[in-house]
Amino acid sequence: MQRSRIAVAAAVVAAAGAAVAFTLPSMAGTTPTAGQGASTKSDVAPQILAAMARDLGLDGDQATARLKRSEWASGVSARLAAETGSDFGGAWLATDGTTLKIAVTDPDAEAAVRKAGAVPVLVKRSEQTLVTAKEKLDAALSDATGLTSWYVDVATNKVVVVAKPGAATEAKKLARSAGLASDAVTVTTSKASPKTLADIRGADAYFIAVEGGTARCSIGFSVEGGFVTAGHCGAVGDKTFANAQGTAQGTVAASVFPGNADMGFVEVGAGFTPRAVVNDFDGNELPVAGSTEAPVGAAVCRSGSTTGTFCGTILAKNQTVVYPEGQVTGLTRTNVCAEGGDSGGPWLSGDQAQGVTSGGSGDCTVGGETFFQPVNEILATNDLTLVTSGGGGGDASAPPATEPTESATACDGQQVQRTGDIAAGAAQAQPNGGAYRANAGRQTACLDAPDGTDFDLVLQRLTNRGFRNVAQASGDGDKTLSVNVRSGTYRYVVVATSGSGSYTLGFSAP
């Protein structure tokens, strides 16, 4: 079986005082058509379809429809999260892979969910309430033994704690000590023992010199200047090699593990060109076109230098996992197998980058579960630009930030000018479906919308649990925002509450 270096990922837009850090899901066109996703995405790579047929039992048409439905569901979920705010209880695709369910705490929000083409589920607790409860568990763990992970399960509207057999009582004690209500927690048992997936053996992929030997991991996705991978695959300053013979490759420039992530970034030297592809270890290169995050219930495939390409389903997000080295928060759980040496390898939903392999349990003979670190968080935290099949760096379609895209508008004078055309009930992320980095200070924005329409403007900040609303302007007419914020990654979301047409968004950041 061919073992070659995986190179990978994509585009960014520069703005005066604020740089776009990475590509995120556009939410345009969120209305489903004939029960399928309203996607215009190009054909899925045949190798991905073959892997989905083997692992999920889906033929080509079924696999393509499921991936398109997942893309549509991502946009609908993001729009409804912005619309419903604190009433939003989470979103997931049902086991059929096509039915999108949206949980809300307010019965008045159910109509908006139905209108968007999703199935409303009335729940007691909002997603933010559940996330806060899980964070209490993150902070409370000290000498608790026999617990392997915990996560928010939006489908059951509870926090799930996973314990080894015989440790259920310990899990309940931890939940009580953290102040969680008994009806908000479910305890499950599992014999699985999650572990990271690095090997100490000579093989391919990329290598890191460690005491007593060489650790092997898999490259994740290409970014400008190098690649992203798992944090446990090397500490800052460690040298990396392209093969077991010691060909110098690069240096670990950023690494977090354990703690709030399992993320790493390797800067490569001259002669290594980052490319927007993933090696499937069967002589093919799979394209990487962006990093739209797939929802719970979506199909996902991963590739690794030990086992090649395998597919499965996203089971949970923002899961805290207890490894022998310590607990890690913010991971995504799947039912896909992986083995030693697959750590750091890339995860794809269609041609959209999802994350890099962290760890798991089981193997690809008997099966198992694997966790991945979401890639968008790696990109945002380290100000990295994913290299995609659309080009590596810069957005040729975006004008310079100092030149407005229209003549005179109500938003003239703002640093960044962006235009868009939006249908009633849809939502769009700006700038250009992405996000931008900003320093602490005051951000201002204005939205010039057509007469007779009601377009809302939402400012969101990226956290390790996804985008969270910071400020919102709603009501008839043009909108303005002015708010003091801390440094971080932000995006604006334009929501067409009623009416449709073209708009101009202008914004400035410190």
Side-chain angles (χ1 to χ4, degrees):
M1 180 178 294
Q2 181 182 357
R3 309 285 196 193
S4 62
R5 185 175 65 92
I6 305 177
V8 195
V12 173
V13 183
V20 177
F22 57 94
T23 301
L24 282 169
S26 169
M27 290 172 287
T30 58
T31 302
T33 301
Q36 301 300 323
S39 173
T40 57
K41 187 186 291 298
S42 59
D43 291 340
V44 181
Q47 296 81 16
I48 288 289
L49 296 179
M52 291 178 69
R54 180 196 64 206
D55 298 335
L56 296 173
L58 303 174
D59 64 28
D61 290 341
Q62 291 170 330
T64 300
R66 185 162 175 177
L67 290 171
K68 288 183 176 181
R69 187 66 170 178
S70 171
E71 183 187 13
W72 166 80
S74 295
V76 171
S77 302
R79 175 171 66 84
L80 289 173
E83 280 187 7
T84 58
S86 60
D87 294 324
F88 186 72
W92 66 98
L93 284 169
T95 54
D96 61 7
T98 61
T99 302
L100 176 61
K101 296 187 177 183
I102 304 285
V104 290
T105 59
D106 185 353
D108 291 340
E110 292 182 288
V113 175
R114 291 191 184 94
K115 184 178 179 181
V119 177
V121 179
L122 191 63
V123 296
K124 179 179 179 180
R125 289 168 285 269
S126 70
E127 184 180 40
Q128 188 55 53
T129 297
L130 292 171
V131 168
T132 300
K134 177 193 168 292
E135 289 174 340
K136 291 180 179 178
L137 288 177
D138 293 341
L141 181 64
S142 55
D143 57 352
T145 58
L147 308 186
T148 59
S149 66
W150 48 93
Y151 60 96
V152 169
D153 183 10
V154 293
T156 63
N157 199 231
K158 293 185 177 183
V159 175
V160 177
V161 181
V162 183
K164 289 289 190 67
T169 300
E170 190 73 21
K172 294 176 182 177
K173 288 181 179 178
L174 174 65
R176 285 197 299 269
S177 68
L180 275 63
S182 59
D183 67 345
V185 180
T186 296
V187 177
T188 64
T189 58
S190 172
K191 295 180 180 179
S193 298
K195 61 183 184 299
T196 55
L197 299 172
D199 266 0
I200 306 297
R201 60 178 180 179
D204 49 357
Y206 81 99
F207 301 81
I208 311 98
V210 297
E211 184 178 352
T214 301
R216 191 193 87 202
C217 280
S218 298
I219 292 171
F221 292 101
S222 292
V223 296
E224 290 186 354
F227 61 85
V228 294
T229 184
H232 70 263
C233 288
V236 173
D238 284 353
K239 300 299 182 182
T240 66
F241 307 94
N243 50 45
Q245 289 69 45
T247 301
Q249 178 193 64
T251 304
V252 178
S255 178
V256 178
F257 177 83
N260 63 3
D262 186 5
M263 64 173 75
F265 165 54
V266 174
E267 287 184 327
V268 298
F272 293 92
T273 302
R275 297 175 57 224
V277 296
V278 166
N279 181 9
D280 74 345
F281 299 99
D282 195 25
N284 304 296
E285 293 181 338
L286 308 177
V288 179
S291 59
T292 297
E293 183 179 336
V296 170
V300 67
C301 300
R302 65 144 196 89
S303 190
S305 61
T306 298
T307 58
T309 302
F310 283 86
C311 300
T313 304
I314 295 175
L315 301 179
K317 296 186 179 183
N318 190 25
Q319 185 153 344
T320 297
V321 179
V322 182
Y323 292 128
E325 300 87 347
Q327 72 181 51
V328 178
T329 62
L331 300 181
T332 296
R333 179 166 59 95
T334 75
N335 59 5
V336 185
C337 70
E339 297 181 10
D342 288 331
S343 276
W347 290 72
L348 290 166
S349 180
D351 59 7
Q352 297 298 302
Q354 299 299 307
V356 300
T357 299
S358 174
S361 58
D363 58 39
C364 290
T365 300
V366 300
E369 63 178 18
T370 305
F371 304 93
F372 68 78
Q373 164 68 49
V375 69
N376 280 336
E377 184 182 354
I378 308 177
L379 301 176
T381 299
N382 297 285
D383 290 328
L384 300 173
T385 301
L386 191 68
V387 177
T388 65
S389 53
D395 183 345
S397 65
T402 55
E403 296 180 10
T405 57
E406 296 288 336
S407 53
T409 73
C411 297
D412 284 351
Q414 297 284 356
Q415 292 174 340
V416 182
Q417 300 279 331
R418 293 291 182 265
T419 61
D421 191 84
I422 191 170
Q428 291 179 350
Q430 291 284 6
N432 306 320
Y436 61 96
R437 293 286 297 179
N439 295 323
R442 181 168 295 277
Q443 295 199 39
T444 61
C446 73
L447 179 67
D448 184 11
D451 292 339
T453 63
D454 182 6
F455 289 5
D456 292 344
L457 180 61
V458 181
L459 176 64
Q460 297 181 328
R461 182 180 187 274
L462 183 65
T463 72
N464 62 5
R465 297 172 302 280
F467 278 97
R468 302 296 178 191
N469 291 358
V470 173
Q472 181 171 351
S474 57
D476 297 332
D478 296 336
K479 309 295 189 306
T480 60
L481 279 179
S482 180
V483 59
N484 276 317
V485 298
R486 52 180 172 156
S487 60
T489 298
Y490 293 85
R491 71 178 179 185
Y492 285 94
V493 179
V494 179
V495 181
T497 303
S498 67
S500 63
S502 300
Y503 66 85
T504 297
L505 170 68
F507 64 91
S508 301

